[in-house]
Amino acid sequence: MKKIIIIDGGPRKNMNTAAMLLSIAQGIQSVSEDIEVKIERLYGMNFKGCMSCMACKVKGRASNVCKFKDELTPLLQEIAESDGLVLGSPIYFGVITGQMHAFLERLAFPWLSYNDYSLTAPKVMPVILTRTMNNTTEGDDGSGWGNFEYCITRALGAPEHIDAHNTYQVKNYDLFELGGFSEPDKRAYREENWEKDLENAFAAGQRMAHKILG
């Protein structure tokens, strides 16, 4: 059976990033029941970023999977043996969350050879990158993943991007000091675009499933 791992780098279980990733998962499963889909939430795991232990670079025992032992280790090995990878994160201060950044350090550093600076993953697979953000499409400069997107492209192939813009930050704006935002404007945008965003995510999941099944 084929397997796709979905990594949720957002802190909230039932908000925008989680919803987009669930739609991707549903899109995958709509194509075939022969693809296992597993969603992992980084905020529910106890792990750190790269510890610079260099265990993945030891002569004669170099590895392109992180060797540091914590709760993330089994997931990194599972990804190495999977057939597809989906990464999702809200954008905070213009970049992915700290948890997603720490995860990507652990995922990508073992791919990097300090002999010839090549990037080699254990297995080439399709990748989807998903960002959710308060920024509008006009204000989005495409940033967020930083150098990690370059690493992913070199090691796994060019990822597909599925993003959601101008998302709701909270469900009830009356309860929070968010006066710099027009809730009616955000609601109007959401009513016009949110279901389309979810449909785009669903379709991206279908495309990934078809790629994997050939």
Side-chain angles (χ1 to χ4, degrees):
M1 176 177 284
K2 303 291 187 180
K3 177 184 283 189
I4 294 173
I5 304 293
I6 297 177
I7 305 296
D8 185 347
R12 296 191 281 182
K13 297 179 180 180
N14 300 306
M15 285 296 283
N16 306 305
T17 302
M20 289 286 285
L21 295 177
L22 180 59
S23 285
I24 291 173
Q26 291 170 340
I28 294 166
Q29 293 170 328
S30 74
V31 171
S32 175
E33 295 180 354
D34 293 328
I35 301 177
E36 179 185 353
V37 180
K38 184 175 183 179
I39 299 177
E40 291 283 353
R41 295 192 66 255
L42 297 181
Y43 276 79
M45 302 178 67
N46 183 15
F47 72 97
K48 294 178 173 63
C50 178
M51 298 297 289
S52 195
C53 66
M54 304 302 282
C56 63
K57 307 283 190 270
V58 175
K59 285 187 177 180
R61 292 186 287 127
S63 171
N64 51 13
V65 180
C66 178
K67 294 299 184 182
F68 186 79
K69 302 299 183 184
D70 61 12
E71 287 187 13
L72 190 62
T73 313
L75 176 58
L76 293 170
Q77 184 60 49
E78 193 171 8
I79 291 170
E81 300 167 0
S82 295
D83 302 287
L85 179 63
V86 181
L87 306 176
S89 175
I91 297 299
Y92 296 158
F93 290 95
V95 296
I96 53 178
T97 62
Q99 272 75 1
M100 179 59 80
H101 192 285
F103 163 81
L104 287 170
E105 287 180 352
R106 297 277 298 280
L107 179 72
F109 184 60
W111 298 344
L112 174 64
S113 167
Y114 276 151
N115 292 322
D116 59 9
Y117 296 98
S118 60
L119 284 152
T120 307
K123 186 177 181 180
V124 176
M125 64 186 72
V127 179
I128 296 173
L129 299 181
T130 298
R131 302 174 304 155
T132 61
M133 68 196 81
N134 182 54
N135 209 344
T136 62
T137 53
E138 293 79 9
D140 179 16
D141 63 3
S143 63
W145 296 102
N147 289 332
F148 291 119
E149 183 171 353
Y150 170 80
C151 295
I152 288 168
T153 301
R154 286 279 304 275
L156 298 177
E160 180 175 1
H161 289 265
I162 300 295
D163 301 324
H165 296 87
N166 199 16
T167 54
Y168 256 30
Q169 297 134 303
V170 295
K171 294 181 178 180
N172 186 346
Y173 276 72
D174 292 336
L175 299 178
F176 299 91
E177 296 287 352
L178 295 169
F181 302 97
S182 168
E183 194 278 334
D185 288 347
K186 290 186 76 69
R187 182 173 67 250
Y189 184 92
R190 183 180 180 85
E191 288 174 354
E192 182 179 353
N193 293 281
W194 180 237
E195 289 302 320
K196 295 177 185 176
D197 291 335
L198 295 176
E199 289 170 4
N200 289 337
F202 186 91
Q206 290 182 314
R207 287 191 293 273
M208 174 173 274
H210 286 301
K211 286 179 183 176
I212 288 172
L213 295 174

